[in-house]
């Protein structure tokens, strides 16, 4: 496979604001290479798509803070030197689609009516391509762009995919089997730094994980609050973690609930309202959780909770424990 190296000029010229609307620019493998390395280092750039944008800028800022560099959000020579140490992590891998990937249950279409959703056993992926996108921390559109001419995905299909493969899959045997399966599917490495405390920063649009000595060890782009449900500024703590959770829809807690909506218990699944994990907070009805729409992280509003991609929420769940302090700040 061709050796891809960082193009400093291309990265310097990349815009630092939100990703361009459709039609989207082509995938830049230099940028994808940077995203892949940042993702492996725990500074989540959002979807691995080979395009510059606000999530990549935030991830670069996080890495710069963690490594004691000037925090600019731009991949300058000093930042490039850090990334270059991990250049063996190639931007893409060519892999055969496995039989397990093709297993459902797939749910397409997902009913819009919550009463109908409540009747399902699982709010699973719509199709194998959507599942592959989550597995490799990307989107269906990116997979399609990386594989021109591939019209059908089936067991054995060879695909070029963003390199989200973890360095380890040695999940402790005392973890719930269903959770180990979810982590394996999402390509989440079980070796995660342990949080001394976390900070949710509204102005930066990120969740920061600090280890001992107030050292930044991980950071992820997040959606947090809205005009109707603002982020609850203050000091909270982590109560616990609920993996592959069901979701109790209570219309009384949602300002945009429709008149006559009834409570509903929705089944677990990656396409459920809170994705694959709920990290409960000491603030009633608030938590940190996943999402069925990873491409919207940092670009839409939430009902006050902190929403991450499913793979990032799973990583944070491995970093925290009951009692971990959580500071929410403007």
């Amino acid at each position: 496979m061709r050796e891809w190296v960082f193009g400093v000029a291309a990265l310097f010229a990349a815009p630092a604001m939100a990703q361009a609307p459709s039609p989207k620019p082509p995938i830049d493998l230099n940028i994808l290479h940077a995203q892949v390395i940042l993702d492996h280092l725990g500074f989540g750039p959002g979807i691995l798509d080979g395009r510059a944008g606000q999530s990549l800028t935030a991830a670069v800022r996080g890495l710069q803070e963690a490594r004691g560099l000037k925090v600019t959000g731009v991949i300058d020579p000093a930042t490039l030197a850090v990334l270059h140490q991990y250049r063996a992590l190639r931007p893409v891998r060519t892999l055969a689609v496995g039989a397990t990937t093709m297993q459902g249950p797939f749910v397409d279409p997902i009913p819009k009516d919550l009463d109908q959703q409540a009747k399902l056993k699982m709010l699973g992926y719509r199709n194998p391509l959507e599942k592959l996108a989550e597995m490799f921390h990307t989107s269906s559109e990116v997979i399609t762009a990386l594989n021109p001419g591939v019209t059908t995905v089936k067991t054995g299909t060879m695909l070029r995919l963003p390199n989200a493969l973890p360095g380890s899959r040695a999940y402790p045997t005392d973890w719930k089997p269903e959770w180990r399966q979810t982590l394996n599917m999402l390509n989440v490495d079980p070796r995660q730094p342990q949080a001394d405390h976390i900070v949710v920063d509204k102005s930066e649009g990120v969740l920061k994980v600090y280890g001992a000595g107030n050292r930044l060890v991980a950071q992820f782009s997040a959606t947090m609050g809205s005009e109707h449900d603002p982020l609850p500024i203050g000091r909270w703590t982590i109560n616990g973690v609920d993996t592959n959770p069901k979701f109790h829809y209570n219309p009384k807690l949602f300002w945009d609930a429709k008149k006559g909506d009834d409570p509903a218990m929705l089944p677990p699944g990656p396409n459920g309202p809170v994705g694959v994990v709920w990290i409960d907070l000491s603030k009633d009805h608030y938590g940190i959780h996943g999402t069925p729409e990873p491409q919207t992280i940092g670009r839409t509003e939430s009902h006050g909770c902190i929403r991450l991609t499913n793979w990032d929420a799973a990583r944070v769940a491995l970093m925290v424990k009951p009692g971990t302090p959580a500071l929410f700040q403007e």
Side-chain angles (χ1 to χ4, degrees):
M1 186 177 292
R2 179 179 173 182
E3 177 89 358
W4 289 96
V5 260
F6 296 109
V8 177
L11 290 169
F12 266 50
M17 299 305 291
Q19 296 176 357
S22 295
K24 292 184 177 180
I27 295 170
D28 184 324
L29 288 184
N30 286 317
I31 295 177
L32 181 60
H33 199 180
Q35 289 176 323
V36 163
I37 292 173
L38 288 162
D39 191 54
H40 277 271
L41 294 178
F43 295 91
I47 287 176
L48 303 180
D49 62 0
R51 294 160 181 147
Q54 64 191 42
S55 295
L56 174 58
T57 298
V60 171
R61 290 177 62 88
L63 178 68
Q64 289 168 334
E65 178 184 339
R67 297 303 175 96
L69 305 177
K70 184 177 180 181
V71 179
T72 63
V74 175
I75 301 180
D76 52 29
T79 307
L80 191 63
V82 172
L83 295 173
H84 193 67
Q85 298 173 37
Y86 303 94
R87 61 191 179 279
L89 290 167
R90 309 316 303 149
V92 295
R93 295 286 299 271
T94 300
L95 303 166
V97 176
T100 303
T101 301
M102 298 301 297
Q103 293 175 358
F106 298 113
V107 184
D108 191 19
I110 294 177
K112 292 184 178 180
D113 187 87
L114 296 182
D115 288 339
Q116 294 301 312
Q117 289 185 21
K119 295 178 181 179
L120 299 173
K121 292 183 178 180
M122 182 179 182
L123 284 166
Y125 295 111
R126 294 174 178 83
N127 51 59
L129 185 58
E130 185 182 54
K131 183 178 181 179
L132 275 165
E134 286 251 305
M135 290 173 66
F136 290 91
H137 305 180
T138 189
S139 68
S140 300
E141 179 268 329
V142 169
I143 294 177
T144 300
L146 286 173
N147 297 276
V150 177
T151 58
T152 303
V153 174
K154 59 184 179 181
T155 301
T157 300
M158 300 299 296
L159 293 176
R160 296 175 74 229
L161 299 160
N163 183 11
L165 297 178
S168 171
R169 299 183 189 273
Y171 307 108
T173 56
D174 59 345
W175 291 1
K176 292 188 297 184
E178 296 84 0
W179 182 229
R180 297 202 305 268
Q181 183 180 9
T182 296
L183 295 171
N184 185 58
M185 185 273 296
L186 289 172
N187 282 319
V188 171
D189 196 308
R191 303 167 302 176
Q192 298 294 333
Q194 293 306 293
D196 174 79
H197 64 283
I198 65 172
V199 174
V200 175
D201 192 296
K202 182 178 179 181
S203 63
E204 294 188 37
V206 296
L207 182 152
K208 298 184 176 188
V209 181
Y210 288 90
N214 202 36
R215 184 174 67 90
L216 182 65
V217 295
Q219 177 186 288
F220 306 102
S221 288
T223 293
M224 55 193 77
S226 67
E227 177 183 355
H228 296 277
D229 298 292
L231 182 73
I233 304 301
R235 296 182 180 274
W236 314 102
T237 57
I238 303 297
N239 283 340
V241 174
D242 186 11
T243 58
N244 296 310
K246 295 180 179 180
F247 179 75
H248 180 215
Y249 172 71
N250 182 354
K252 294 180 180 179
L253 301 178
F254 292 82
W255 67 268
D256 54 351
K258 296 179 181 179
K259 186 177 181 179
D261 273 359
D262 294 321
M265 181 62 75
L266 304 184
N271 268 322
V274 296
V276 301
V277 66
W278 171 269
I279 303 171
D280 195 46
L281 292 163
S282 56
K283 172 72 172 174
D284 286 347
H285 311 302
Y286 282 82
I288 302 165
H289 61 83
T291 180
E293 301 289 344
Q295 71 278 5
T296 67
I297 295 299
R299 292 164 176 79
T300 57
E301 297 180 334
S302 76
H303 285 92
C305 291
I306 296 83
R307 191 166 66 225
L308 308 170
T309 66
N310 275 332
W311 57 89
D312 287 341
R315 287 193 276 197
V316 173
L318 299 184
M319 298 177 187
V320 300
K321 59 185 178 182
T324 299
L327 172 63
F328 293 2
Q329 64 187 27
E330 295 281 1

